[in-house]
Amino acid sequence: MKRKITVVLGLVAICFMTGCSKTPEISYDGKDLIHDCTAEQIDLFAEDVNVMIGEKQNFVYVDSNYEHQEFTDGLLEFNEENRPDVKSCFFVNREEQTDIKFASRTAISFRDPVEGSMRLSVSGNYSYKIIDSKTFKDTYTTTEELTNKIQAQINAVYILNMQGKTYSDLSQEKEFDEAKLTSVNATISKYGVEVTKVNIEAVEKK
């Protein structure tokens, strides 16, 4: 469940005038794709606590019934009226990850209808973003493993679409069209991410 949280602009001014103590705050300003709350941060939910969610972040907590509650963008305030029984929580980075390099791991055997058999290498870059926080959390291990999965699927879709084309055709293709992106995401979406763009920088004879 996603909810939009509005920042309470007067919070600081009210505390300044009334002398109220500062409510503990949980936030994350790093660039990791996913960041788990510490045990100390989870303990803060036993009292009043605020969660500051960045502009391109999701915040998710898991309660005692193993229900996931998801929030995005703003200040989330917990107190005695709405205090959840939080068992774990994490931040997810929704910012698009861009200009990630890829290349065919081995030379690709290809039969050009005009030039005959040859071996090719393909390189380029791609972008992706997280679209499902819970699925991403459940399937994520390391950034390296995620990029390996994405690149393997990009290569598989590229090879599948080489049939019937010439080397000249391939060398002029600079970007995956919508159909190819859909084919990539048919597999990649099960990891909670979506590939948004694939650019082809070079197709070279080996």
Side-chain angles (χ1 to χ4, degrees):
M1 178 175 66
K2 295 184 179 180
R3 304 175 186 172
K4 186 76 173 182
I5 305 301
T6 303
V7 177
V8 181
L9 298 176
L11 180 63
V12 176
I14 293 173
C15 285
F16 178 79
M17 291 186 291
T18 60
C20 63
S21 60
K22 181 174 175 60
T23 301
E25 183 177 283
I26 298 172
S27 63
Y28 176 66
D29 59 3
K31 295 296 184 180
D32 290 345
L33 294 176
I34 194 163
H35 175 75
D36 290 306
C37 297
T38 65
E40 290 77 12
Q41 289 175 324
I42 294 171
D43 289 342
L44 292 175
F45 286 92
E47 305 293 339
D48 291 359
V49 63
N50 296 334
V51 179
M52 178 56 72
I53 309 168
E55 181 182 355
K56 293 185 177 181
Q57 288 181 340
N58 281 359
F59 172 75
V60 182
Y61 73 75
V62 182
D63 63 22
S64 56
N65 295 318
Y66 300 99
E67 292 289 337
H68 288 68
Q69 305 295 331
E70 184 172 340
F71 304 85
T72 182
D73 297 356
L75 177 64
L76 182 61
E77 299 177 277
F78 291 113
N79 51 51
E80 60 182 359
E81 296 181 355
N82 67 345
R83 184 170 297 129
D85 185 9
V86 174
K87 297 303 181 184
S88 65
C89 58
F90 56 93
F91 290 86
V92 170
N93 183 354
R94 293 187 289 110
E95 186 171 7
E96 186 174 24
Q97 309 298 305
T98 62
D99 196 28
I100 302 168
K101 303 298 183 182
F102 78 90
S104 48
R105 297 182 182 278
T106 58
I108 302 169
S109 297
F110 174 65
R111 182 169 182 79
D112 187 303
V114 178
E115 300 184 47
S117 297
M118 63 181 68
R119 294 170 69 79
L120 303 176
S121 66
V122 181
S123 60
N125 65 80
Y126 66 93
S127 304
Y128 75 92
K129 61 183 178 181
I130 297 170
I131 57 172
D132 186 322
S133 297
K134 181 181 182 300
T135 299
F136 183 77
K137 170 68 172 176
D138 290 343
T139 58
Y140 180 73
T141 51
T142 64
T143 302
E144 181 180 5
E145 182 174 340
L146 176 62
T147 55
N148 285 341
K149 291 174 180 176
I150 293 175
Q151 292 182 25
Q153 185 62 10
I154 288 174
N155 286 334
V157 170
Y158 186 85
I159 292 171
L160 183 63
N161 284 273
M162 293 172 71
Q163 294 181 344
K165 297 180 180 178
T166 65
Y167 172 71
S168 178
D169 293 334
L170 296 175
S171 63
Q172 294 179 48
E173 293 181 356
K174 300 302 181 183
E175 185 176 344
F176 272 23
D177 58 24
E178 185 175 347
K180 293 188 185 69
L181 285 178
T182 298
S183 295
V184 171
N185 287 315
T187 295
I188 296 305
S189 61
K190 68 183 179 183
Y191 303 117
V193 302
E194 177 183 77
V195 175
T196 56
K197 180 178 289 189
V198 178
N199 294 317
I200 308 299
E201 296 175 344
V203 180
E204 300 176 317
K205 296 179 182 180
K206 302 296 288 184

